[in-house]
Amino acid sequence: THKFLAGSFKDGTRVARLNGRLWAELMIDNKENTVFKLDEFQNYLLRVKKLIVDCDLNGLEDIFEEARKRREDFLIKCV
């Protein structure tokens, strides 16, 4: 069941080791922004899902290209 985990999985999921009560309190204390960001993420996932259902290869490619550019921009700003 764990045959496909990449080496970065441990680092990428480190926050899951933190206290569950703390995360719950942080999300409730920041409820307005948390719900807003969850809505944004949900809409993004629905957009990707529609592109998949519609077999829109170009649309999916555009999304992945946008993600690549954002990653590059982020990494440049962090250096």
Side-chain angles (χ1 to χ4, degrees):
T1 57
H2 298 39
K3 295 177 185 175
F4 299 105
L5 294 180
S8 62
F9 179 80
K10 182 178 176 184
D11 292 332
T13 61
R14 186 177 304 141
V15 292
R17 293 184 55 204
L18 299 179
N19 182 298
R21 179 67 176 212
L22 173 65
W23 278 112
E25 289 175 359
L26 287 170
M27 289 193 172
I28 288 173
D29 288 347
N30 195 23
K31 176 173 42 179
E32 186 175 315
N33 190 51
T34 301
V35 170
F36 176 77
K37 289 299 181 182
L38 286 170
D39 285 341
E40 273 189 341
F41 187 52
Q42 183 177 26
N43 290 334
Y44 181 79
L45 290 175
L46 289 172
R47 180 176 156 210
V48 172
K49 179 180 177 181
K50 182 175 182 347
L51 292 169
I52 293 169
V53 168
D54 293 346
C55 298
D56 187 341
L57 184 64
N58 292 328
L60 283 169
E61 185 178 11
D62 290 345
I63 280 184
F64 291 126
E65 180 62 20
E66 178 184 328
R68 186 195 65 75
K69 286 180 184 177
R70 284 184 178 194
R71 178 186 182 274
E72 294 300 316
D73 290 345
F74 179 78
L75 291 176
I76 288 170
K77 291 176 185 176
C78 290
V79 176

